[in-house]
Amino acid sequence: MIKLNNINKTYFGAQPLHVLKGIDLEVAEGELVSIMGASGSGKSTLLNILGILDNYDEGDYYLAGKLVKNLSENQAAEFRNKLIGFIFQSFNLIPFKTALENVALPLFYQGVNRKKRNMMAMEYLERFGLKDWAEHYPNELSGGQKQRVSIARALVTSPKIILADEPTGALDSKTSAEVMQILREVNATGITMVIVTHERGIANLTRKIVHLKDGVIESIEENDPDKMDFTKEIK
Amino acid sequence: MFNRDFWSEIFMALRRNKLRTILTGFAISWGIFMLIILLSAGNGLKNGVTSNFADRIQNTYHIWASFTELPYKGHKANRYIMLNNKDIQLLETLYQVEEVSPVLSQGGTLIFGEKSKSVSMEGVKPIYKNIEGIKMVDGRFINENDMKNKMKVVIIDKNTSDELMRINGVSTMIGKTVFINGLSFTVVGVCKGQPWGDYGQCYAPYSTLQALYNVNRYYQLTFITRGLNTKEDNEAFQKELKKKLAALHEFSPDDKRAVWIDSQMVNSLETNRIFNTINIFIWVIGIAMLISGVVGVSNIMRITVKERTNEIGIRKALGAKPRSILLSIVMESLVITTIFGYIGLFCGMGVMEIVNMVLKTGEVATGGGEMSVFVNPTVDIKIVVSATLVLIISGVAAGFAPAWKSVKVKPIEAMNYR
């Protein structure tokens, strides 16, 4: 599903910052992978490149068999819209839109008509137990609810891959466990998932843990999350 | 693309910042309002000035005699030149002259019943009505039959007519016999009066007055030309005519003062040129005012885009194409400029319509004989269309730069923007 060959990325500021120094990584379809590392290790940059939210300087990135390089903004938008679902630490919900409208937004950019869009969005909200909150605005929702809305939004277009940047970073441990449970269930339906985190507890819930340090992959650790006890708090 | 969702997004964005939208829009409204007021005023002035000649035909000439400026052939300067029958004959031999109407001026006193009034009587030909654009209120002007039979008929002006009717208690002056300098004339028509002076204005057939007074001196000759269609034609003709008149009256052909030859066509071309210049000037001022409004909108759009950077980043991450972002911002700016532009446009037009109504009522009250400086100060559909174009162009211009900037920014940078 994802194939990275020698990805390099440098931020050219006052002082050039070589963030990713030759990343090679493969993620198969249906995998649940976490990327772990301290802050500044380049894990968020890597995720942004995977999500085509940022470009890279060197190497090749294949997403679902297609080379993602020097894409026009239009092509990039199309890729993001059709193939990728995003989940962010800060939710990134649009504040003046209701939960339903937020979830329906990616479908709007696919040109789905209003009625169908709202129906599909409602289906996903219902799936995550938010039916009664559909007409609420983000500031009327709790952190966990917001993140469930953003998961619904990421899934509404049936993407091939979900990219989650610290999905539990803004949540308490109980809610974190719930959100991770949801993500694991989503992964179980066959959707590839890459989660960036700095919390070992979260990484332990994934099957593959990629350790990133100073822009290089230090190690890739196989993991069996089923050994984890979900009744316990994960933090 | 431009479906209900698209528009509801834009109006939602505008509603979220009502006060800001209104304040920004006001600058645009004001710019267009002033542009319309200025253009209407310019139009009114033009209509006012041109309406005073509007009914005159273009290919007419007036000649006045005056004092010479230069000594010539033994004559001293400041000699008074008087036009006479030889000038009429000269004009009638010229190919370019179609028809001459001398103006035989004869002052006098008009008496009808109890009332006597000072009048200026002019002996003219039927064509004079067209040359001067005389408007009939009642009856008719002098006709060929009057000329041929030297009829003692007279056309009096409306003010005189009203006065005579009032004092003598009659309902019409048409068909009444009046005495002018002791001679009886039958009133056959009433015309709109001259706007100046307190004396009455009468027109009688030229042939009649010539027979009665045997005049050989004219202050003014008028005539209609043919085939002189351009300014150059007219200037060449004026030069030729002046040379001939100079030979006839023995004044220097270089004398600028001795006779005045005045072409209606050259005058109106000149008038048009002046008003076109004024019009350009008004557009320049109006557009300059509008630009300040546009800059305001552009500025607000920049702030809006800045505030919405996060949102734009999220939208990009969710698959919004650059076109949709560009369009939504440009359209937002366009919506502000057009809506507020039209508010200004209609306010401006409304104000000028009211001014127009007030002017019209005034005209009715003064009997319509007045010389108008300001007529129908409104704008036509052409100006509305051009103003619309100006608004659309300025709206797009105001929105484009900020929109383009937001398109160019990387989605991740936009999302992380604080």
Side-chain angles (χ1 to χ4, degrees):
Chain A
M1 181 57 56
I2 288 174
K3 190 162 185 277
L4 297 176
N5 286 334
N6 189 34
I7 295 291
N8 278 274
K9 170 78 181 173
T10 307
Y11 285 118
F12 295 96
Q15 235 170 9
L17 196 61
H18 199 176
V19 195
L20 296 180
K21 303 166 181 166
I23 301 285
D24 296 298
L25 182 67
E26 266 189 64
V27 177
E29 191 161 354
E31 261 194 303
L32 178 57
V33 178
S34 60
I35 300 174
M36 270 202 80
S39 65
S41 62
K43 58 184 192 305
S44 281
T45 305
L46 181 57
L47 194 82
N48 292 337
I49 288 171
L50 291 178
I52 330 179
L53 296 173
D54 205 346
N55 50 4
Y56 53 95
D57 305 324
E58 247 178 70
D60 299 307
Y61 166 30
Y62 294 90
L63 176 62
K66 291 177 196 115
L67 178 63
V68 178
K69 199 171 192 178
N70 302 326
L71 293 183
S72 75
E73 260 306 311
N74 266 324
Q75 288 169 308
E78 196 116 339
F79 269 79
R80 288 195 288 263
N81 188 239
K82 299 235 165 88
L83 295 178
I84 307 168
F86 291 98
I87 298 165
F88 301 99
Q89 175 175 8
S90 51
F91 321 121
N92 279 340
L93 297 174
I94 293 178
F96 53 87
K97 285 184 179 292
T98 62
L100 186 75
E101 286 169 335
N102 264 292
V103 175
L105 196 57
L107 296 172
F108 169 69
Y109 290 119
Q110 280 188 357
V112 177
N113 73 48
R114 188 189 193 83
K115 208 173 154 194
K116 191 165 175 214
R117 212 160 69 207
N118 286 346
M119 214 178 69
M120 286 168 77
M122 191 52 110
E123 241 170 64
Y124 277 90
L125 283 176
E126 211 173 340
R127 179 167 154 194
F128 299 117
L130 289 164
K131 195 184 173 193
D132 298 337
W133 300 88
E135 297 306 324
H136 287 245
Y137 289 91
N139 62 3
E140 300 162 344
L141 301 175
S142 72
Q145 285 170 325
K146 281 189 217 174
Q147 198 58 301
R148 278 184 284 159
V149 170
S150 84
I151 293 170
R153 182 178 67 181
L155 289 173
V156 77
T157 56
S158 315
K160 292 245 182 268
I161 176 166
I162 295 282
L163 300 175
D165 188 4
E166 307 269 11
T168 59
L171 305 176
D172 61 40
S173 50
K174 185 167 169 287
T175 330
S176 293
E178 282 167 19
V179 165
M180 282 314 292
Q181 183 57 36
I182 290 171
L183 291 182
R184 276 166 53 88
E185 282 164 18
V186 168
N187 173 248
T189 65
I191 297 177
T192 316
M193 194 170 288
V194 178
I195 300 170
V196 160
T197 183
H198 65 277
E199 291 167 43
R200 182 72 217 189
I202 298 295
N204 278 340
L205 295 173
T206 63
R207 295 203 165 269
K208 203 180 202 177
I209 305 170
V210 178
H211 292 274
L212 211 58
K213 197 179 176 192
D214 297 332
V216 289
I217 293 176
E218 209 177 28
S219 65
I220 297 178
E221 178 188 338
E222 297 290 335
N223 182 46
D224 186 359
D226 298 330
K227 284 183 185 159
M228 289 290 296
D229 182 1
F230 283 109
T231 54
K232 284 187 193 160
E233 290 185 357
I234 54 178
K235 271 187 187 169
Chain B
M1 191 82 236
F2 297 108
N3 49 23
R4 194 179 126 202
D5 296 306
F6 181 80
W7 294 113
S8 74
E9 292 256 330
I10 283 170
F11 283 101
M12 194 148 83
L14 292 177
R15 265 205 306 274
R16 261 184 297 144
N17 287 301
K18 259 186 224 136
L19 183 65
R20 192 160 78 187
T21 308
I22 288 166
L23 288 177
T24 315
F26 178 75
I28 292 280
S29 288
W30 186 247
I32 281 283
F33 178 78
M34 288 312 288
L35 179 66
I36 291 296
I37 296 279
L38 285 171
L39 283 172
S40 308
N43 251 355
L45 196 61
K46 183 180 178 179
N47 291 342
V49 171
T50 52
S51 78
N52 296 313
F53 329 106
D55 298 321
R56 299 184 187 183
I57 40 179
Q58 292 271 303
N59 54 343
T60 59
Y61 267 84
H62 292 72
I63 303 179
W64 292 282
S66 183
F67 293 93
T68 57
E69 183 186 36
L70 307 166
Y72 188 68
K73 282 195 177 168
H75 296 292
K76 283 183 183 166
N78 286 325
R79 179 170 55 102
Y80 191 74
I81 304 288
M82 183 51 87
L83 300 170
N84 57 37
N85 289 333
K86 277 187 191 159
D87 293 290
I88 300 175
Q89 282 156 22
L90 167 70
L91 287 171
E92 281 169 346
T93 61
L94 293 175
Y95 165 73
Q96 293 95 329
V97 176
E98 194 169 297
E99 196 174 349
V100 184
S101 174
V103 183
L104 195 165
S105 292
Q106 192 71 42
T109 311
L110 181 148
I111 300 173
F112 177 66
E114 305 289 306
K115 173 73 186 172
S116 89
K117 186 179 167 77
S118 291
V119 293
S120 157
M121 182 157 61
E122 290 177 342
V124 296
K125 290 188 180 175
I127 192 71
Y128 190 73
K129 175 173 177 282
N130 293 343
I131 292 175
E132 289 296 337
I134 294 166
K135 289 188 191 109
M136 299 306 294
V137 178
D138 200 2
R140 61 172 178 87
F141 199 67
I142 296 155
N143 61 24
E144 290 300 336
N145 191 45
D146 298 334
M147 281 294 294
K148 210 168 75 190
N149 298 319
K150 298 179 181 152
M151 302 293 283
K152 281 161 80 182
V153 293
V154 71
I155 284 90
I156 59 174
D157 71 292
K158 188 172 184 294
N159 292 343
T160 306
S161 168
D162 289 348
E163 215 176 327
L164 295 177
M165 282 180 344
R166 197 180 64 238
I167 289 169
N168 291 290
V170 292
S171 60
T172 177
M173 283 304 293
I174 304 284
K176 300 283 185 301
T177 301
V178 296
F179 292 90
I180 300 173
N181 292 348
L183 298 164
S184 64
F185 285 84
T186 307
V187 177
V188 292
V190 176
C191 65
K192 268 199 179 178
Q194 296 289 354
W196 50 76
D198 193 34
Y199 54 84
Q201 178 75 47
C202 305
Y203 300 103
Y206 168 67
S207 57
T208 310
L209 293 198
Q210 186 59 276
L212 286 171
Y213 294 102
N214 192 21
V215 172
N216 192 22
R217 303 152 51 90
Y218 306 98
Y219 297 101
Q220 196 184 10
L221 299 177
T222 64
F223 57 94
I224 293 182
T225 57
R226 61 176 148 228
L228 302 176
N229 297 324
T230 64
K231 199 180 171 194
E232 288 70 31
D233 287 352
N234 279 287
E235 279 168 353
F237 171 72
Q238 276 169 317
K239 215 169 172 182
E240 184 195 334
L241 180 60
K242 184 156 199 177
K243 219 184 242 171
K244 291 196 164 144
L245 290 171
L248 192 64
H249 292 281
E250 295 192 326
F251 62 84
S252 163
D254 300 325
D255 200 310
K256 290 196 178 66
R257 239 171 36 188
V259 288
W260 298 88
I261 305 171
D262 192 50
S263 157
Q264 180 64 34
M265 182 179 281
V266 173
N267 283 347
S268 65
L269 286 175
E270 199 63 15
T271 314
N272 278 342
R273 208 176 55 85
I274 291 168
F275 280 109
N276 285 341
T277 315
I278 291 178
N279 212 28
I280 290 170
F281 185 65
I282 287 173
W283 271 102
V284 168
I285 294 177
I287 298 274
M289 282 185 102
L290 208 54
I291 284 175
S292 65
V294 170
V295 168
V297 172
S298 191
N299 217 1
I300 287 301
M301 289 314 295
R302 260 189 46 210
I303 294 170
T304 306
V305 164
K306 217 167 190 148
E307 277 181 359
R308 287 177 56 190
T309 304
N310 276 88
E311 179 204 327
I312 289 167
I314 297 168
R315 286 172 185 271
K316 282 183 166 187
L318 298 181
K321 292 194 173 153
R323 198 181 52 175
S324 97
I325 297 204
L326 190 81
L327 269 178
S328 71
I329 293 164
V330 169
M331 287 311 287
E332 193 175 318
S333 147
L334 195 55
V335 165
I336 299 184
T337 46
T338 359
I339 288 181
F340 285 95
Y342 270 95
I343 291 174
L345 188 81
F346 286 116
C347 287
M349 283 169 76
V351 166
M352 291 323 276
E353 285 298 332
I354 291 168
V355 169
N356 193 18
M357 252 160 59
V358 171
L359 282 181
K360 272 195 181 144
T361 343
E363 198 178 305
V364 171
T366 58
E370 302 295 301
M371 174 98 129
S372 10
V373 210
F374 220 63
V375 168
N376 190 21
T378 50
V379 293
D380 56 13
I381 189 77
K382 241 170 29 195
I383 289 177
V384 175
V385 170
S386 2
T388 307
L389 276 179
V390 166
L391 282 175
I392 290 176
I393 291 170
S394 38
V396 171
F400 194 81
W404 188 245
K405 209 175 146 197
S406 73
V407 162
K408 281 291 123 190
V409 69
K410 274 191 271 184
I412 191 65
E413 280 168 23
M415 270 191 290
N416 291 340
Y417 180 86
R418 284 287 173 269

